[in-house]
Amino acid sequence: MKDLESIKGSRVYGRRQGKPLKKTSRERLEKYFPKYSITLEGDKLNLSNLFDHAPVEYWLEIGFGKGEHLIEQAKANPDVGFIGCEPFLNGVSGLIDHIDREGVTNIRFFMDDARLLMDALPDHSISRAFILFPDPWRKKRHYKRRVVSPGNLNVLSRILKGNSQLRIGTDHHDYCRWILARLMENEDFIWQVDTPDDWHTRPDDWPATRYELKALEAGRLSAYMTFLRKQQLN
Ligand SMILES: C[S@@+](CC[C@H](N)C(=O)[O-])C[C@H]1O[C@@H](n2cnc3c(N)ncnc32)[C@H](O)[C@@H]1O
């Protein structure tokens, strides 16, 4: 399993580990990590070797937390290969607990900074991407830590297929405005919205996440935004 010390140098802000893991979770981690975790060796990740059966397409979730959304999507779309990215050890352990309980085989995960993974993904290889309730980094001097950034959107534009969806959820008003502004200034994306209901109501095929439910309990409503990666001309 990857040594936590060896990944400290990457661009992850926030915690890498929380409470010590329970014995069963530690055992599950030891069991699943070697087969289900993604390691980057060359410049580009070879997707064809990742899953036992070639998936019809690949979907990516950045910052999956404890994996509630990822596991539900994987169960609902068994022909899709899911790639999750989460640097927080307890999050990865939470996902593995779900994988073990539900017997899901179409998920692989990368336990580090999403940017390292995205840089290794081939051009136009991803058919749908999710960034759900990313850390808002409220202070102005921390805005550069935000996962939704001009640089990361350029990389997402490179790896997403034409006409594919990028879904972003947030309960934070200021970050929501920031997200819309960053997406509007990127010419490769179009916001798919007709009525206010389109982004104030979670679509049926968008399972709830832990942070969304926390926000709801605290009385905060969320925005559910879907952007389309425009069809590329070449
Ligand atoms: C506020 S939590 C939301 C978790 C989950 N998506 C949800 O909605 O319940 C943000 C998540 O993004 C992860 N994260 C932060 N920086 C990241 C990065 N550079 N790459 C990938 N994930 C990151 C955090 O570890 C955390 O689990």
Side-chain angles (χ1 to χ4, degrees), residues 143 146 148-151 153 175-187 189 227:
Y143 282 3
R146 289 178 165 177
V148 180
S149 67
L153 289 178
Y175 201 9
C176 184
R177 274 197 298 272
W178 162 282
I179 290 165
L180 287 173
R182 300 296 76 78
L183 265 297
M184 298 293 174
E185 68 197 18
N186 187 313
E187 292 184 351
F189 292 95
F227 303 91

Side-chain angles (χ1 to χ4, degrees), residues 149-181:
S149 67
N152 285 348
L153 289 178
N154 286 338
V155 183
L156 278 163
S157 159
R158 179 185 67 74
I159 63 176
L160 280 167
K161 284 199 159 98
N163 280 333
S164 62
Q165 286 186 1
L166 167 63
R167 292 183 174 185
I168 308 182
T170 185
D171 61 315
H172 191 268
H173 283 203
D174 175 55
Y175 201 9
C176 184
R177 274 197 298 272
W178 162 282
I179 290 165
L180 287 173

Side-chain angles (χ1 to χ4, degrees), residues 59 61 64 67-77 82 128 130-133 167-169 201-213 222 224:
W59 293 9
E61 181 167 348
F64 59 72
E68 293 84 5
H69 172 271
L70 190 53
I71 200 86
E72 290 306 320
Q73 288 286 12
K75 281 174 10 192
N77 300 281
F82 285 84
R128 189 170 289 192
F130 307 92
I131 308 178
L132 306 180
F133 299 82
R167 292 183 174 185
I168 308 182
T201 312
R202 178 160 45 75
D204 290 341
D205 64 348
W206 178 328
T209 74
R210 180 174 293 241
Y211 268 78
E212 179 201 344
L213 296 179
S222 296
Y224 310 91

Side-chain angles (χ1 to χ4, degrees), residues 62-65 85-88 112-114 132-133 135 209-211:
I62 294 173
F64 59 72
C85 182
E86 174 56 59
F88 189 48
D112 205 336
D113 182 359
L132 306 180
F133 299 82
D135 298 309
T209 74
R210 180 174 293 241
Y211 268 78

Side-chain angles (χ1 to χ4, degrees), residues 10-196:
S10 66
R11 285 163 287 185
V12 173
Y13 304 97
R15 295 181 308 160
R16 287 293 185 123
Q17 190 173 0
K19 283 195 229 151
L21 301 179
K22 290 193 182 130
K23 185 164 172 281
T24 32
S25 296
R26 264 201 332 265
E27 285 167 358
R28 284 186 192 138
L29 201 62
E30 298 290 341
K31 177 176 164 197
Y32 286 92
F33 206 91
K35 179 157 184 207
Y36 281 63
S37 78
I38 297 172
T39 27
L40 300 179
E41 269 140 25
D43 273 0
K44 286 282 170 262
L45 180 64
N46 187 352
L47 291 175
S48 60
N49 293 336
L50 222 49
F51 296 90
D52 299 335
H53 306 287
V56 291
E57 48 190 50
Y58 298 95
W59 293 9
L60 170 71
E61 181 167 348
I62 294 173
F64 59 72
K66 294 202 169 186
E68 293 84 5
H69 172 271
L70 190 53
I71 200 86
E72 290 306 320
Q73 288 286 12
K75 281 174 10 192
N77 300 281
D79 296 337
V80 173
F82 285 84
I83 300 174
C85 182
E86 174 56 59
F88 189 48
L89 178 68
N90 300 58
V92 169
S93 165
L95 173 70
I96 288 177
D97 288 342
H98 288 296
I99 288 176
D100 186 68
R101 261 185 246 123
E102 316 258 0
V104 168
T105 57
N106 56 332
I107 297 180
R108 297 292 180 269
F109 59 81
F110 179 66
M111 197 176 81
D112 205 336
D113 182 359
R115 186 57 195 254
L116 301 173
L117 173 71
M118 290 197 295
D119 281 348
L121 285 168
D123 293 357
H124 312 303
S125 54
I126 300 297
S127 300
R128 189 170 289 192
F130 307 92
I131 308 178
L132 306 180
F133 299 82
D135 298 309
W137 294 108
R138 292 177 173 77
K139 292 183 184 150
K140 206 166 185 177
R141 68 174 189 279
H142 289 154
Y143 282 3
K144 57 182 179 297
R145 299 181 175 187
R146 289 178 165 177
V147 168
V148 180
S149 67
N152 285 348
L153 289 178
N154 286 338
V155 183
L156 278 163
S157 159
R158 179 185 67 74
I159 63 176
L160 280 167
K161 284 199 159 98
N163 280 333
S164 62
Q165 286 186 1
L166 167 63
R167 292 183 174 185
I168 308 182
T170 185
D171 61 315
H172 191 268
H173 283 203
D174 175 55
Y175 201 9
C176 184
R177 274 197 298 272
W178 162 282
I179 290 165
L180 287 173
R182 300 296 76 78
L183 265 297
M184 298 293 174
E185 68 197 18
N186 187 313
E187 292 184 351
D188 293 341
F189 292 95
I190 310 169
W191 186 20
Q192 284 196 303
V193 70
D194 291 324
T195 67

